[in-house]
Amino acid sequence: LHFFGEISLENNGGFAQVYAPIPEADFSGHEGVRLRVKGDGRTYQFRLTTDARYRGARIAYRAEFPTEAGAWEEVFLPFEAFRPSFRGRLLDGPPLDPGSVQRVAFLLADGQPGAFSLKVDWIGLAGKE
């Protein structure tokens, strides 16, 4: 995956997202997500979506990870690090249920205008030890 573009602050902008639906998956036998990424020095979010709702809309569970410009890195995001959010605001709950993941996403929402680039070599699960 090459997630790239230009962030604009016009029209309440300041963010970009790419997502993919997946068949409902049970990740509960794992402790988190592993990513191999090459970024641009910005901090990105990796998001998981389940069937959890807030005001009738999907809740996104987000975990942030910084990148080092131009360097391939492996990132581990434990499920405990994922926080529920709705339209950019953190919620008090419910907690992530890794047993019912329906969608994965990358989001850049640092509010900084300009070009961005995140390359993703792979996305995997980290097993329990």
Side-chain angles (χ1 to χ4, degrees), residues 71-89:
W72 283 104
E73 303 171 88
E74 286 191 27
V75 176
F76 172 62
L77 302 170
F79 290 133
E80 295 81 23
F82 285 82
R83 300 292 176 242
S85 67
F86 179 74
R87 296 190 178 161
R89 289 179 291 241

Side-chain angles (χ1 to χ4, degrees), residues 1-7 15-18 38-40 42 44 106-108 114-120:
L1 167 70
H2 188 190
F3 176 39
F4 67 98
E6 182 100 12
I7 297 285
F15 67 94
Q17 177 176 252
V18 61
K38 183 179 183 180
D40 53 10
R42 294 172 90 159
Y44 290 83
F106 287 93
L107 179 119
L108 176 62
F116 68 91
S117 174
L118 179 71
K119 292 183 179 179
V120 181

Side-chain angles (χ1 to χ4, degrees), residues 6 13-14 18 26 32-33 35 51 53 55 64-66 73 90-91 94 105 117:
E6 182 100 12
V18 61
D26 183 355
V33 176
L35 312 170
D51 59 359
R53 305 273 183 201
R55 296 184 179 172
E64 294 186 345
F65 61 96
E73 303 171 88
L90 288 173
L91 302 174
S117 174

